[in-house]
C-alpha cells in the first residue's frame, strides 16, 4: 500500500530547475536512503513532502493513513522546559488520558449519588480510556523517553536542565528524540547521525532496524545507510532513480544502469546511421520500389530519433591521488608510554604503539577520549606529559586537520596554493584545483566564503601536493558529500605510503583499515582487521546494551506497576458498582419476601411457588455478589 505517490514533480527556484518531472512511490515497508550530491535538492524534497514548500508542477499524493514526521516539526520552542519534559510533549495525548483517568477515579471513589446510570457512564469512560492508554503505549512512554535520551547522550542531570542551557548539538538531539518517539508512520530523517557519537549511532541503527515504521533518510554515512535501508533513491540530473537494496547494493546497480543507458544510446545511434545509409542508397537507385523502401526506413529513423535520449553525464566528482616523494624506512612511528594532561586533567596515558611502512591504522574510541589530542601530541602541537615519540628514517608527515586551522581565511583559494607551493606555475595551480572542482572564477573565492566541504577540498589539495609518506588524518570525511568520500577513499586505497587516521566513517574504516587502535583510559588496545572484524572481537558499545538492559528492566518494572495500578483502579470501580448492585439486590429480596407474606398471595399456590423461586434465584445471585465483593476487598487490601 502506497504511503506517498509522486508523479511528474517539478520544482523551480527562480531560473533554476531543481526537479524535472520526477516520479516515485513510497510504500509501507520502504526504508529508503536518499542520496545525491550537495545542492541537488534532497532537503527541498523533504520540505515538499511535508507541505512546507509548494511544487511548481506535478502531484504529491499523501495516503489517507499516512502521518509524516520530520525533525523540523519538533523544534524546541519553550526554552524554560527541561529536556525530559520537552521529549514528553510528544506523548501529550497519553498524559492527557492519564490526567483524565485520575479525575475519573477520584469522581467514582467520591460518588455518593443514587443515580447508578451516571455512575455507570463514569466507569464506562474509565474502562475505555484505560484500554486506550494501555494500547497506545501509555504504560511505557516515560521509560521509552528516558531510555532514548540516555542512548543519545543525556544523563539524568542533563535531562533535567532547561533547554536554554543546552548546546545546539544537544537541542538537535532532542529534536531527533522527539521525532523517533512520535506516532508518525513515515519519518523523514535529514542527517540524523550529526552530533551523535559512535554509541548513539549504534543505538539509532538498532532503533530503526526494530521499528515497524517506514522512513526516508538523507545521510553521508554509508555504513549507516547499509545498516538501515532496503531501497536507495538517487537524485541526479533533476531525476529520481530507484534502486533495490542498501548503499553497497546500489553501487553495482548504478554502474550497470549507467552502462545500459550508454549502450542503448550507442546502439540506437548505430541503427540510425545504418538506416540512413540504406535510405541514401535506395534514393540513389530512384526506382519506385526503392523510393517506397526509403520512405519506410525514414519513418523508422524518425521514430528512433524522436525517442533518442543522450545519457546525461554524471555530476563531476574529485579525481586525485596521493603520491610519496620518497620511501620511508620500515619503522615509521614508535610511541612509548605517552601521556597528556592539561593542568590536573589527564587526557590519556600509557599510550604505546608501533606503525610500519604501508600500514593503514585507524584510531577509534568514544568522544572525548583524546583521539585528536593524541594526533596533535604526536605532531608536536601539544606537549606530552610523559613518554617518547620517534619517527623513522625519511618519514615526511602530511596532516589533515578537521578543524581546518592554519589557513588564512582572507586569502583566495589560488593564493593559498601559490603561497604554500611557490614553485608551481599558474597553469599547474589551476589544473590541480580543477581536480578538486575549483574551476574558472571559483579559484578566486576567499577561503572565508567557502563551505566546510570546499575548505576540506583545499586541505586535500595541499595534502596531495605535499608528497608525504605518512598521512595523519583527523576526520577527513567530515564536510564531504558521498561522491567526495568515495574519491578520498580511492586515493587512500591506492596510496603507497602509511596512514594513521581518526575517523567516525565506518564505511571508510571497513574498506581501508589493516589494524584498529582502540583508545581506552588504560592505553591502546590493538585489533587486526577492519571495522567489522573489530566489532566481532570487541564490543566498544557495551554502554548501549546496558542502556537497553536498563531500559528493558526499568520498562518492565514501570509497566508492571502501571498494569497493577490499572487493575486496582478497575477493582475499585467494580467494587463501588458492586456495592450498589448488592444494595439493589437486597432491596429486591426484601420486596419478594414482603410479597410472599402478602395475604392476597398466600392463597395462590402457583404464585407463591413462583415468588419462592425468584427469592432463591435472587439469594443465589446475592451470594455470588458477596463472594466477588470479598475477593475485590482482599485484592485492594494487599
Amino acid at each position: 500500500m502506497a504511503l506517498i505517490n509522486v508523479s511528474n514533480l517539478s520544482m523551480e527556484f527562480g531560473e533554476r530547475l531543481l526537479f524535472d518531472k520526477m516520479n516515485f512511490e513510497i510504500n509501507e515497508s520502504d526504508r529508503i536512503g536518499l542520496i545525491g550530491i550537495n545542492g541537488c535538492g534532497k532537503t527541498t524534497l523533504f520540505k515538499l513532502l511535508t507541505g512546507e514548500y509548494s511544487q511548481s508542477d506535478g502531484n504529491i499524493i499523501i495516503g489517507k493513513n499516512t502521518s509524516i514526521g520530520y525533525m523540523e516539526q519538533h523544534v524546541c520552542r519553550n526554552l524554560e522546559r527541561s529536556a525530559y519534559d520537552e521529549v514528553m510533549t510528544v506523548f501529550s495525548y497519553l498524559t492527557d488520558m492519564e490526567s483524565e483517568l485520575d479525575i475519573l477515579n477520584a469522581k467514582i471513589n467520591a460518588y455518593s449519588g443514587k443515580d447508578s446510570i451516571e455512575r455507570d457512564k463514569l466507569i464506562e469512560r474509565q474502562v475505555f480510556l484505560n484500554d486506550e492508554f494501555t494500547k497506545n503505549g501509555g504504560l511505557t512512554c516515560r521509560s521509552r523517553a528516558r531510555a532514548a535520551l540516555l542512548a543519545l547522550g543525556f544523563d539524568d542531570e542533563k535531562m533535567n536542565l532547561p533547554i536554554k542551557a543546552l548546546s545546539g548539538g544537544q537541542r538537535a538531539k532532542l529534536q531527533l528524540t522527539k521525532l523517533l518517539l512520535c506516532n508518525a508512520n513515515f519519518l523523514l530523517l535529514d542527517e540524523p547521525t550529526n552530533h551523535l557519537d559512535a554509541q548513539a549511532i549504534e543505538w539509532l541503527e538498532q532503533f530503526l532496524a526494530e521499528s515497524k515504521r517506514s522512513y526516508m533518510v538523507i545521510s553521508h554515512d554509508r555504513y549507516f545507510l547499509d545498516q538501515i535501508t532496503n531501497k536507495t533513491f538517487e537524485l541526479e540530473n533533476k531525476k529520481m532513480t530507484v534502486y533495490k537494496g542498501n548503499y553497497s547494493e546500489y553501487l553495482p546497480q548504478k554502474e550497470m544502469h549507467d552502462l545500459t543507458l550508454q549502450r542503448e544510446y550507442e546502439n540506437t545511434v548505430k541503427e540510425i546511421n545504418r538506416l540512413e545509409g540504406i535510405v541514401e542508397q535506395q534514393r540513389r537507385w530512384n526506382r519506385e520500389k526503392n523510393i517506397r523502401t526509403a520512405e519506410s526506413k525514414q519513418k523508422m529513423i524518425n521514430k528512433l530519433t524522436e525517442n533518442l535520449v543522450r545519457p546525461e553525464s554524471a555530476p563531476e566528482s574529485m579525481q586525485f591521488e596521493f603520491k610519496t616523494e620518497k620511501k620511508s624506512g620500515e619503522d615509521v612511528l614508535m610511541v612509548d608510554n605517552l601521556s597528556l594532561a592539561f593542568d590536573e586533567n589527564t587526557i590519556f596515558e600509557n599510550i604505546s604503539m608501533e606503525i610500519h611502512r604501508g600500514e593503514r591504522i585507524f584510531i577509534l574510541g568514544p568522544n572525548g577520549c583524546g583521539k585528536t589530542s593524541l594526533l596533535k601530541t604526536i605532531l608536536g602541537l601539544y606537549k606530552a606529559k610523559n613518554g617518547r615519540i620517534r619517527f623513522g628514517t625519511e618519514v615526511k608527515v602530511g596532516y589533515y586537520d578537521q578543524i581546518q586551522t592554519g589557513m588564512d581565511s582572507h586569502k583566495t583559494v589560488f593564493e593559498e596554493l601559490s603561497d604554500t607551493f611557490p614553485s608551481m606555475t599558474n597553469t599547474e595551480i589551476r589544473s590541480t584545483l580543477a581536480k578538486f572542482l575549483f574551476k574558472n572564477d571559483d579559484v578566486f573565492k576567499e577561503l572565508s566564503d567557502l563551505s566546510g566541504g570546499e575548505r576540506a577540498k583545499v586541505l586535500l589539495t595541499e595534502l596531495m601536493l605535499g608528497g608525504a609518506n605518512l598521512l595523519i588524518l583527523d576526520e577527513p570525511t567530515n564536510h564531504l558529500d558521498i561522491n567526495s568520500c568515495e574519491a578520498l577513499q580511492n586515493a587512500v586505497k591506492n596510496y603507497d605510503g602509511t596512514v594513521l587516521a581518526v575517523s567516525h566513517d565506518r564505511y571508510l574504516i571497513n574498506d581501508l583499515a589493516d589494524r584498529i587502535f582502540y583508545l581506552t583510559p588504560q592505553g591502546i588496545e590493538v585489533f587486526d582487521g577492519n571495522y567489522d572484524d573489530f566489532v566481532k572481537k570487541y564490543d566498544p558499545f557495551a554502554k548501549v546494551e546496558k542502556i537497553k538492559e536498563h531500559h528493558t528492566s526499568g520498562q518492565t518494572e514501570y509497566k508492571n506497576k502501571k498494569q497493577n495500578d490499572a487493575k486496582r483502579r478497575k477493582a475499585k470501580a467494580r467494587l463501588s458498582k458492586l456495592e450498589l448492585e448488592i444494595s439493589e439486590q437486597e432491596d429486591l429480596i426484601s420486596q419478594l419476601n414482603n410479597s410472599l407474606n402478602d395475604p392476597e398471595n398466600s392463597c395462590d399456590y402457583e404464585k407463591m411457588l413462583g415468588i419462592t423461586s425468584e427469592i432463591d434465584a435472587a439469594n443465589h445471585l446475592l451470594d455470588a455478589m458477596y463472594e466477588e465483593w470479598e475477593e475485590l476487598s482482599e485484592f485492594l487490601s494487599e
Side-chain angles (χ1 to χ4, degrees), residues 105 108-109 119 126 563-579 628-638:
N105 189 47
I108 291 169
N109 287 337
R119 186 185 179 89
Q126 183 193 48
Q563 287 177 337
N564 190 51
D565 289 345
K567 287 180 181 178
R568 293 181 72 83
R569 282 198 300 270
K570 284 186 177 182
K572 283 182 180 180
R574 175 58 185 154
L575 187 67
S576 299
K577 186 176 181 181
L578 188 61
E579 287 171 350
E628 184 182 359
W629 185 89
E630 288 175 2
E631 289 177 355
L632 290 171
S633 297
E634 185 177 348
F635 171 71
L636 291 171
S637 66
E638 292 176 354

Side-chain angles (χ1 to χ4, degrees), residues 259-275:
L259 183 60
T260 300
L261 289 180
Q262 184 63 35
R263 284 176 176 171
E264 286 179 356
Y265 173 77
E266 291 172 355
N267 290 336
T268 302
V269 169
K270 285 180 182 178
E271 179 63 10
I272 289 172
N273 290 337
R274 186 184 72 83
L275 292 172

Side-chain angles (χ1 to χ4, degrees), residues 608-630:
M608 291 287 287
L609 188 62
I611 293 172
T612 302
S613 297
E614 284 185 50
I615 291 173
D616 289 341
N619 279 319
H620 182 73
L621 181 58
L622 184 63
D623 289 341
M625 288 179 176
Y626 278 130
E627 187 176 342
E628 184 182 359
W629 185 89
E630 288 175 2

Side-chain angles (χ1 to χ4, degrees), residues 487-504:
L488 173 62
Q489 186 171 315
N490 289 331
V492 174
K493 182 183 288 189
N494 296 319
Y495 175 56
D496 61 354
T498 307
V499 177
L500 177 63
V502 168
S503 179
H504 284 105

Side-chain angles (χ1 to χ4, degrees), residues 38 400 402 404 407 447 449-459 478-480:
N38 289 348
Y400 180 96
Q402 68 161 316
Q404 301 178 348
M407 293 191 295
L447 297 178
D449 294 330
L450 300 183
S451 67
E454 289 172 326
R455 288 171 67 91
K457 290 174 183 178
V458 174
L459 285 174
N478 278 7
H479 309 295
L480 298 182

